[in-house]
Amino acid sequence: MDLNSLDLPKRPEDTRVVVAMSGGVDSSVVAGLLAREGYDVVGVTLQLYDHGEATHRKGACCAGQDIHDARRVAQALNIPHYVLDYEERFRNSVMEPFANAYRQGETPVPCIACNQSVKFVDLMEVARDLGADVLATGHYVQSKLVDGRRRLFRPVDDSRDQSYFLFATTQEQLDFLRFPLGGMTKPAVRELAREFELEVAEKHDSQDICFVPQGKYADVIRKMHPEALEGGEIVHLDGRVLGRHDGIINYTIGQRKGLGVSTGEPLYVVKLEHRTGRVIVGPREALMTKTVRLRDVNWLGDRALESLAAGNGMPIEVKVRSTRPPQAGAVHMEGGEVYVTLFAGEYGISPGQACVFYADESDTTEVLGGGFIAEAVPQALVA
């Protein structure tokens, strides 16, 4: 039997698809597309953050207005829709680790943690309980069957690429997930929303992290953990004590403005020491990194990760920030640890950030996995 558009040997009407509906235009169009193709579509929305506080805030996802929008879209498409209360799970799996990471001087990426835990674990379990064959989302990323194995690729629309936030997707999860928008551009998606006559067709995209209003991370951590505001010293790399601060949660690696000290030279935050409570500052060149050590690595490549211990490792393209294009590098193992070399280097890399691997020879670039940065080795300290 031929495969359907979701690469399954079943007729669309015999294929149940759970669509993760956030209330935005992307996931709404996914539901519309699959319903139009005749699939047995079920919409599921997770309530992740405080309903009352988030209802009237623009630019947040998975909040009150979004739940209302998702429900209205499901009604318009004539598909069943369920709303599940996952606030406690979200707080324990995403918000608390985010706050704790910041308290330890790291720069976490909570959207990755949300995909790792709530969306691609809990929601996937819900989908299976509902008898789904696959779980579909509105992420801009592609997955394709290659030689019998499903692989992950960057989307057609580079400006919407969300592969950075999905590097931790395991092979088992990838086999169950589908990303129908990976081959489309955002304008084309909005045009489909208009064609389906969906009320969300012109809805703005989510910008803020859902539980961080206006991007003020310190305010959230202050509310969750007031004890995190313990002050300490601001110290130059050469050992000079330049002043005091009101909590390392108010600083990030690479920060220049708002340090509260002046020496007549431009200073940047080079390191945050959560054990001593010190903010270490220095010149910009002290921020240059060419080597990073990773933790919690997820590998999707054909070659076994352990085979990269020999020689100079495997050439790859690397992303250490979601907003930057990939740069040339290599990944290798040493003493059981995974290291990445950035050939051109990067300024201001912080522990907690994601480091994502891409194949360096593919036209539609394959995502090979990635990990979280455990340590960024300053180039100035390398002999």
Side-chain angles (χ1 to χ4, degrees), residues 301-357:
D302 277 339
R303 266 174 83 184
L305 193 56
E306 290 72 21
S307 70
L308 305 181
N312 295 320
M314 177 180 175
I316 55 171
E317 296 284 312
V318 188
K319 251 192 178 191
V320 291
R321 288 184 176 86
S322 63
T323 54
R324 299 276 186 89
Q327 65 162 288
V331 58
H332 71 280
M333 289 194 72
E334 182 179 326
E337 302 267 23
V338 178
Y339 290 85
V340 167
T341 301
L342 306 167
F343 295 158
E346 185 68 74
Y347 285 94
I349 293 178
S350 170
Q353 288 176 319
C355 178
V356 182
F357 315 146

Side-chain angles (χ1 to χ4, degrees), residues 4-6 11-13 30-40 180:
N4 60 31
S5 63
L6 297 177
R11 297 183 307 168
E13 57 266 36
V30 168
L33 278 172
L34 296 174
R36 185 172 70 177
E37 289 184 44
Y39 288 98
D40 177 12

Side-chain angles (χ1 to χ4, degrees), residues 225-242:
H225 294 284
E227 72 278 9
L229 294 177
E230 184 177 351
E233 296 177 332
I234 300 176
V235 182
H236 195 281
L237 275 174
D238 63 16
R240 287 177 290 156
V241 177
L242 303 179

Side-chain angles (χ1 to χ4, degrees), residues 94-366:
V94 180
M95 293 176 65
E96 284 290 351
F98 169 86
N100 289 332
Y102 251 99
R103 292 169 64 193
Q104 294 176 25
E106 295 190 353
T107 304
V109 190
C111 294
I112 296 175
C114 187
N115 287 329
Q116 274 185 301
S117 56
V118 180
K119 291 181 179 176
F120 289 172
V121 174
D122 298 330
L123 183 54
M124 200 168 285
E125 185 177 334
V126 169
R128 288 195 170 101
D129 287 344
L130 290 171
D133 295 284
V134 294
L135 171 66
T137 80
H139 289 101
Y140 284 85
V141 68
Q142 298 185 83
S143 70
K144 303 175 184 178
L145 274 178
V146 180
D147 298 329
R149 187 166 75 90
R150 187 158 292 277
R151 301 187 181 190
L152 195 62
F153 296 86
R154 294 181 71 190
V156 168
D157 190 342
D158 285 342
S159 68
R160 308 301 303 179
D161 184 7
Q162 292 175 292
S163 60
Y164 181 84
F165 301 101
L166 298 175
F167 82 85
T169 306
T170 66
Q171 186 64 54
E172 181 184 4
Q173 292 168 345
L174 193 57
D175 290 339
F176 193 67
L177 288 163
R178 297 296 185 273
F179 308 103
L181 304 187
M184 302 175 63
T185 64
K186 184 72 176 198
V189 169
R190 288 204 182 275
E191 189 55 43
L192 275 172
R194 298 183 193 105
E195 183 182 324
F196 295 148
E197 298 183 347
L198 301 180
E199 293 183 11
V200 296
E202 309 304 329
K203 186 175 180 178
H204 293 300
D205 294 329
S206 298
Q207 298 295 330
D208 291 337
I209 297 169
C210 60
F211 61 93
V212 185
Q214 289 81 49
K216 296 180 180 178
Y217 304 135
D219 289 350
V220 173
I221 300 165
R222 187 180 296 112
K223 183 177 178 181
M224 295 175 65
H225 294 284
E227 72 278 9
L229 294 177
E230 184 177 351
E233 296 177 332
I234 300 176
V235 182
H236 195 281
L237 275 174
D238 63 16
R240 287 177 290 156
V241 177
L242 303 179
R244 292 191 61 80
H245 63 81
D246 295 325
I248 65 172
I249 65 169
N250 295 301
Y251 298 84
T252 56
I253 302 295
Q255 179 179 334
R256 179 182 177 186
K257 296 181 179 179
L259 301 185
V261 296
S262 178
T263 62
E265 61 173 322
L267 293 176
Y268 299 80
V269 176
V270 175
K271 188 177 182 182
L272 299 171
E273 296 183 346
H274 75 279
R275 296 188 187 281
T276 65
R278 299 196 307 173
V279 173
I280 310 299
V281 298
R284 186 170 186 267
E285 55 264 30
L287 289 169
M288 169 55 76
T289 298
K290 285 196 173 182
T291 303
V292 294
R293 178 173 59 85
L294 304 182
R295 59 174 171 79
D296 301 326
V297 172
N298 180 54
W299 179 251
L300 296 171
D302 277 339
R303 266 174 83 184
L305 193 56
E306 290 72 21
S307 70
L308 305 181
N312 295 320
M314 177 180 175
I316 55 171
E317 296 284 312
V318 188
K319 251 192 178 191
V320 291
R321 288 184 176 86
S322 63
T323 54
R324 299 276 186 89
Q327 65 162 288
V331 58
H332 71 280
M333 289 194 72
E334 182 179 326
E337 302 267 23
V338 178
Y339 290 85
V340 167
T341 301
L342 306 167
F343 295 158
E346 185 68 74
Y347 285 94
I349 293 178
S350 170
Q353 288 176 319
C355 178
V356 182
F357 315 146
Y358 300 88
D360 67 345
E361 75 283 347
S362 173
D363 291 334
T364 54
T365 308
E366 184 175 359

Side-chain angles (χ1 to χ4, degrees), residues 42-123:
V42 178
V44 174
T45 301
L46 302 183
Q47 180 177 309
L48 300 180
Y49 186 59
D50 181 73
H51 192 284
E53 184 170 342
T55 298
H56 302 295
R57 175 151 45 80
K58 293 181 179 179
C61 67
C62 309
Q65 183 61 47
D66 294 318
I67 292 170
H68 173 74
D69 290 341
R71 185 178 290 118
R72 293 288 294 274
V73 167
Q75 289 173 347
L77 297 174
N78 195 30
I79 62 172
H81 178 250
Y82 300 95
V83 178
L84 305 178
D85 182 354
Y86 270 60
E87 285 191 31
E88 183 176 357
R89 170 73 162 132
F90 182 72
R91 182 181 180 88
N92 293 337
S93 299
V94 180
M95 293 176 65
E96 284 290 351
F98 169 86
N100 289 332
Y102 251 99
R103 292 169 64 193
Q104 294 176 25
E106 295 190 353
T107 304
V109 190
C111 294
I112 296 175
C114 187
N115 287 329
Q116 274 185 301
S117 56
V118 180
K119 291 181 179 176
F120 289 172
V121 174
D122 298 330
L123 183 54

